[in-house]
Amino acid sequence: MDFVQTAPVLGNQYRDDRVLHAYLERALPREVHAAIAKDLDELGAHAATAWAAARARTPSEPVLTQWDAWGNRVDQIETTPVWRHGAELATRYGLVAAGHETTHGAHARTDQFARVYLHHIASEFYTCPLAMSDGAATALKASGNRTLIERALPHLLSRDSATLWLSGQWMTETVGGSDVGNTETTACRDADGRWCLHGRKWFTSAVTGEMALTLARPEGTDALALFYLETRDSGGRWNGICVDRLKDKLGTRELPSAEIRLDGALAEPVGELAHGVRLIAPMLNMTRTWNAVCALATMRRCLALAFEYARRRHAFGRALIEQPLHRATLASLQAELEAAFQLVFFVPELLGRVETGTASPEERALLRVLTPLAKLWTGKLAVRIASEACEAFGGAGYIENTGIPQLLRDAQVYPIWEGTTNVLALDVLRALGANGVDSVITAADALLGEAGDDRHGVRASLSAACDWLATHSAHRDALEAGARGLALTLARCFAAALLARHAAWAERERGDARARAALAIFAGHGLTRLSSSAMDAVATLADNDDP
Ligand SMILES: Cc1cc2nc3c(=O)[nH]c(=O)nc-3n(C[C@H](O)[C@H](O)[C@H](O)COP(=O)(O)OP(=O)(O)OC[C@H]3O[C@@H](n4cnc5c(N)ncnc54)[C@H](O)[C@@H]3O)c2cc1C
């Protein structure tokens, strides 16, 4: 009989995730971890059943119907079956609400993003509008606009699917997504003094949502203002919005991303007309944080599947996981994931402190720099790891209904939306300029201090980054040309420092050497990869995956 390879099986993604478990044990008070463990366990179980269910059905995509049988313009979007349950799961597990609730104090954001991390892949990118809804809630709170806060926040933060609202973030136009200063959408007042928007938004990923925050230029001014609008009127009709078409995309195909026209859409300014970009900044910081957590979730899914498959699949007389080169390959990817995990989850940790007023000025400055750093580095890393995951499955990794190609196609969105790698690298330069490089280096140093002697060249790289900035600070073009290299170096330095801190804790508190092994591999480069200690680290990391 012909041999038939068994497919990889995904277990409960909470129970099986050693890195998440150890992190939550370290970062959360015992009672907070205990209080959220049941929800995380259910999300972990759902992740596994959703993966199996997706393999068993024909993929579906949203469909736009622009006209009804009688010639009326209707612009109805039928979403996928998973999306139709999106609100129910999002509210049951508080995927947005948990980040704003006060029960767990400064740990609210860590709780929330553990949930998002576990649910993202199963959600078919329903997390995209959830991210924007969280961003809208955060931006409205920061604006201090009481009317809009009272109107929208109970919906955005609802724990009831019947009252949940999703928000869009409509910025990108045909003239540009990075350079929103070119925005062509105009705002003018009608005879009743209400603001009406006219223009074309080129990418709107949550046109199915109930509201949006969007940029427009009030007529007769140079200002770019932030407006709040509701997509439908009280009778359920579109609020001066036409959906021109849905985008035909490389990935995220379940997510309805639309091109729309605003033709007199009624809207309200969120704050002072001149400060649109400043007012939308809190929203962007939130969506960038979601992006980093979702990129991390993709990496984790890729490696969970690749390790599982490597135990099932045999070549040259033994399981792939026993082939020294295959296990070293997977171990090096796992090391990148573990470092990225520590950096990404440090951002909600800081955010929680800032939002509850318990952060130091240094922590505030650090959050400003680490948010774009985490987003830009993990966006690129997710694509690399998803590509390696395809290869780790051999030919099967190229076959659609294994589910592996979709992970790669979907991953390619992380470096693009919410600011491309270059745009975020330039943002890091701005953040360093505003907060001073020294405070950032001091913060990294403090993290390393906690990590004992495990410094792995991080200090040398940080001081090289400082020297580079000092040398080029007067040469804007040279500074910009090197911004990506600088940002990636800083991201890896912080990730190494945070992983070192975690590794010291894991050894001390749990007698677990795997985080330290991950650090040795992550920080190793060039010929050090061939040292015997590097090979020992591979064995430590690849041989034992007990949570
Ligand atoms: C699936 C998907 C969904 C999306 N959903 C939304 C949405 O809901 N709302 C929304 O507003 N947008 C959305 N976008 C748009 C996205 O945010 C933009 O595509 C992105 O910000 C880039 O803008 P752009 O496409 O105009 O590219 P450009 O701005 O034209 O950039 C092209 C290239 O130039 C580089 N570049 C630009 N400026 C500089 C510079 N100064 N220095 C160096 N390099 C530079 C960029 O890094 C990029 O590589 C979505 C995009 C995708 C793919």
Side-chain angles (χ1 to χ4, degrees):
M1 194 175 154
D2 289 344
F3 170 78
V4 176
Q5 177 64 51
T6 54
V9 175
L10 207 63
N12 179 312
Q13 286 304 283
Y14 172 60
R15 290 186 196 172
D16 289 357
D17 194 332
R18 161 183 59 90
V19 178
L20 175 65
H21 268 273
Y23 171 77
L24 293 177
E25 196 179 316
R26 178 172 65 75
L28 293 179
R30 197 180 297 264
E31 64 282 5
V32 175
H33 193 184
I36 66 173
K38 180 171 171 290
D39 277 5
L40 298 184
D41 198 51
E42 286 176 13
L43 285 166
H46 177 70
T49 49
W51 176 261
R55 307 288 70 73
R57 66 168 178 262
T58 310
S60 63
E61 296 186 5
V63 176
L64 168 66
T65 303
Q66 287 174 309
W67 305 95
D68 74 5
W70 310 104
N72 297 303
R73 184 84 192 237
V74 287
D75 290 352
Q76 276 172 359
I77 297 170
E78 190 187 339
T79 55
T80 66
V82 167
W83 266 61
R84 292 201 282 279
H85 288 107
E88 199 259 312
L89 283 167
T91 48
R92 188 192 311 162
Y93 293 105
L95 296 180
V96 177
H100 294 259
E101 289 166 352
T102 51
T103 328
H104 302 314
H107 304 291
R109 291 296 188 179
T110 303
D111 167 18
Q112 174 193 17
F113 282 109
R115 294 162 188 264
V116 172
Y117 169 72
L118 286 170
H119 186 57
H120 168 57
I121 304 284
S123 84
E124 294 187 346
F125 277 80
Y126 193 80
T127 42
C128 166
L130 292 178
M132 295 190 285
S133 306
D134 192 359
T138 308
L140 289 177
K141 276 185 184 173
S143 76
N145 184 325
R146 296 303 325 161
T147 311
L148 294 182
I149 289 171
E150 279 161 28
R151 169 97 182 131
L153 256 65
H155 293 289
L156 294 170
L157 306 182
S158 174
R159 285 265 188 177
D160 175 358
S161 61
T163 57
L164 180 74
W165 280 7
L166 296 178
S167 175
Q169 166 191 304
W170 300 348
M171 296 178 68
T172 306
E173 302 194 355
T174 50
V175 282
S178 310
D179 188 1
V180 290
N182 290 329
T183 295
E184 290 178 336
T185 299
T186 57
C188 58
R189 285 183 185 272
D190 69 8
D192 298 326
R194 300 175 305 176
W195 286 98
C196 304
L197 307 187
H198 293 267
R200 191 178 185 198
K201 296 291 176 182
W202 192 231
F203 276 92
T204 57
S205 279
V207 76
T208 48
E210 286 74 12
M211 60 163 279
L213 296 187
T214 187
L215 293 171
R217 205 176 293 287
E219 256 177 2
T221 73
D222 284 339
L224 205 49
L226 182 63
F227 285 91
Y228 162 94
L229 64 79
E230 290 173 16
T231 51
R232 308 260 179 175
D233 66 18
S234 53
R237 291 173 296 266
W238 283 106
N239 167 21
I241 296 168
C242 282
V243 183
D244 284 343
R245 62 175 164 171
L246 295 183
K247 296 283 197 190
D248 183 9
K249 295 176 290 179
L250 170 68
T252 68
R253 294 186 70 93
E254 298 93 345
L255 166 72
S257 305
E259 294 167 19
I260 62 171
R261 272 173 203 279
L262 305 178
D263 188 12
L266 292 173
E268 287 180 49
V270 171
E272 276 184 55
L273 294 180
H275 295 148
V277 174
R278 193 198 299 164
L279 285 164
I280 206 169
M283 184 175 205
L284 298 181
N285 286 332
M286 278 320 305
T287 52
R288 286 168 183 172
T289 304
W290 277 71
N291 199 90
V293 172
C294 294
L296 197 65
T298 291
M299 298 179 213
R300 161 68 190 156
R301 179 59 53 88
C302 287
L303 288 173
L305 291 166
F307 271 105
E308 218 279 329
Y309 189 67
R311 292 189 185 95
R312 284 169 187 270
R313 178 77 174 166
H314 284 69
F316 300 99
R318 50 185 171 172
L320 289 177
I321 196 65
E322 287 160 20
Q323 294 291 356
L325 183 51
H326 195 75
R327 69 205 247 119
T329 305
L330 294 187
S332 74
L333 300 176
Q334 176 69 18
E336 297 281 322
L337 163 69
E338 294 198 24
F341 188 104
Q342 297 304 327
L343 176 60
V344 168
F345 268 87
F346 191 47
V347 172
E349 225 177 292
L350 290 174
L351 181 62
R353 275 178 237 159
V354 168
E355 288 183 333
T356 50
T358 53
S360 65
E362 293 75 26
E363 286 175 324
R364 284 179 174 275
L366 200 53
L367 177 64
R368 171 69 186 87
V369 176
L370 292 190
T371 304
L373 278 183
K375 193 280 184 187
L376 76 86
W377 176 47
T378 54
K380 301 303 273 186
L381 189 56
V383 177
R384 206 188 114 212
I385 289 185
S387 169
E388 288 281 6
C390 286
E391 192 176 335
F393 279 82
Y398 206 67
I399 301 305
E400 274 299 336
N401 57 3
T402 61
I404 314 296
Q406 183 175 355
L407 289 169
L408 176 59
R409 285 189 281 103
D410 287 351
Q412 185 59 63
V413 86
Y414 300 128
I416 297 176
W417 65 12
E418 312 308 346
T420 60
T421 311
N422 282 358
V423 166
L424 289 171
L426 296 176
D427 188 49
V428 171
L429 280 186
R430 267 192 301 279
L432 290 173
N435 293 301
V437 184
D438 292 347
S439 71
V440 172
I441 302 297
T442 310
D445 232 38
L447 293 170
L448 278 173
E450 283 185 48
D453 287 335
D454 233 334
R455 291 181 183 142
H456 286 279
V458 174
R459 287 223 161 91
S461 296
L462 283 171
S463 81
C466 274
D467 292 349
W468 184 87
L469 274 167
T471 313
H472 294 89
S473 59
H475 310 283
R476 187 66 211 175
D477 283 359
L479 204 58
E480 288 196 13
R484 188 192 271 236
L486 176 76
L488 292 171
T489 302
L490 288 178
R492 293 186 73 87
C493 282
F494 273 103
L498 288 159
L499 182 56
R501 182 178 71 157
H502 180 77
W505 173 88
E507 275 190 333
R508 195 176 59 242
E509 301 295 327
R510 295 182 127 207
D512 187 345
R514 286 171 290 182
R516 189 170 300 286
L519 176 64
I521 297 169
F522 178 71
H525 52 83
L527 292 179
T528 63
R529 286 178 192 275
L530 298 181
S531 69
S532 56
S533 64
M535 291 301 164
D536 290 346
V538 166
T540 306
L541 206 53
D543 284 351
N544 175 2
D545 68 339
D546 292 342

